[in-house]
Amino acid sequence: MAEKARGPRPPRPEAPRDEAADIGVEARLAAGVLLNAALEGRGGMDSAQTFREIAALPAPDRAFARAVAMAALRRLGEIDQILDRRLNKAPPLPVRTILRIALAQTLVLETPAFAAVSTAVKLAERDPKTRPYKNLVNAVLRGVGRDGPGLTTAESNLPDWIAARWKATWGEQGLIALALVAREEPPTDLSLKPDADAQALATAVDGEVLPGGTVRTGRRGDVASWPGFEDGSWWVQDAAAAVPARLLAPKAGESIIDLCAAPGGKTLQLAASGAEVVALDRSDSRLKRLRANLERTGLSAEVVAVPAEDWEDDRTFDAVLLDAPCTATGTFRRNPEVLRATKPADVAKLADVQHRLLDAAAERVKPGGRLVYCVCSMEREEGETQIIAFLRRNPAFRTVAAVPAEVGAPDEALTPEGWLRILPSMWTDKGGVDGFFVARLDRVS
């Protein structure tokens, strides 16, 4: 039996109705559009930003709509558990969306219940398809407000097939720990140029310095307005995502290639070391952000838009970093939609891509050089299994054991083989971390 996790806190007592209750209907509509777009496929929420219902809103309302949609997505299983206890039969999806959005506001974001209920009823009234259900919407939401949400299971927020995989790999307690992390909005992590003062930045953004030098902050809003952004002294990058480049140990003057480089945080780390860096990615559009960050930070790299397997340049390098395309299931803290968008067949499909890219990467490593392979995936087929098979195919490479303290990784991430398996449930006292698998392989001279 799965361990029970108490549901989100009950809504605040209903306040007297006032004009505030009539504000924000369009933003709530936009939140529903974003939520459903996220449930329909990978990248759906980002694509939906261009929809009329979202694009026409003022910036604060767009931010609110996204916050509500993300809260609903992170707690979707729990919200549906609460609703299913109060619904005799499943309502049409537009009605369920209204209810989901309202409960995300009251139970997660602590929006005053009177405002959430009022706008939910108004949303139901405005559409002929949902209008017959406005009394149901009102009754369900007021019932939750009166009685509280009851007990829910954090694991219900995960798709069944993913929960089963993670339970088989890390056990029931490991699954519960991951599920609890998945419920929470993560902090923001910043990587710094070597000459930047991490403690000063941490003070300026009300944050802390993590092992490895990453600055973590709970600050929200437009990062372009934060101290040091215009100076180019830092860039946004999860603490776990900063580990692979540190494990590669770049040195000034070395030749290094970052394969599958976009969006570019690792390229910036390598360039900041003084190495001569080639950043290669198949997507020219995704490289735009990297080019912009190189310009902002004053760092330099040769940027090439071409698939790694098709690059005809015959250069080899002192060091190669391969952050391979993957299911990205380890990024669920920041991208909760990835768990809904990923399908079981994607794991095997992407494992084949990783196999080919690893062999292509190996050919770029000079004798005596080094290769770091990483994926932001929780699935063993994309991490451990890839390296076991690669070492069998490539006897010229050997594992170099990571030292977690030297690369800013949790101590418990070190595997018996010397690789790093970073779980989002590590560093929970600091706010968690993205899931990553990282391995360093040196080519025998």
Side-chain angles (χ1 to χ4, degrees), residues 80 103 107 223 414:
D80 281 350
L103 289 184
L107 302 181
V223 298
L414 185 65

Side-chain angles (χ1 to χ4, degrees), residues 2 35 40 52 61-62 80 97 103 123 131 135 157 159 162 171 232 249 253 287 314 339 347-348 367 389-390 406 445:
L35 172 61
E40 288 168 3
R52 177 183 54 80
D61 286 2
R62 287 199 305 272
D80 281 350
T97 298
L103 289 184
L123 277 174
R131 193 172 299 139
N135 290 335
N157 299 316
I162 285 181
L287 286 170
D314 60 2
L339 298 182
V347 179
F390 173 82
E406 293 181 358
S445 178

Side-chain angles (χ1 to χ4, degrees), residues 273-336:
S273 73
E276 298 176 1
V277 180
V278 175
L280 186 146
D281 196 277
R282 69 185 303 120
S283 172
D284 189 57
S285 61
R286 295 186 72 230
L287 286 170
K288 290 180 180 178
R289 180 177 170 187
L290 170 56
R291 293 187 180 100
N293 272 326
L294 286 170
E295 182 177 356
R296 180 177 63 84
T297 58
L299 299 171
S300 62
E302 178 185 347
V303 181
V304 182
V306 66
E309 314 98 296
D310 299 339
W311 195 38
E312 296 181 354
D313 193 303
D314 60 2
R315 277 179 286 176
T316 56
F317 298 83
D318 296 311
V320 175
L321 176 58
L322 173 59
D323 184 357
C326 67
T327 55
T329 50
T331 68
F332 63 74
R333 295 161 60 250
R334 304 186 188 283
N335 305 300

Side-chain angles (χ1 to χ4, degrees), residues 161 165 327 343-352 379 381-382:
W161 74 274
R165 286 178 66 93
T327 55
K343 306 304 178 187
D346 295 339
V347 179
K349 179 180 177 181
L350 285 162
D352 182 63
E379 317 315 315
E381 296 94 323
E382 301 183 80

Side-chain angles (χ1 to χ4, degrees), residues 146-162:
R146 179 185 63 250
D147 304 330
L151 294 178
T152 57
T153 55
E155 306 94 293
S156 67
N157 299 316
L158 307 175
D160 290 343
W161 74 274
I162 285 181

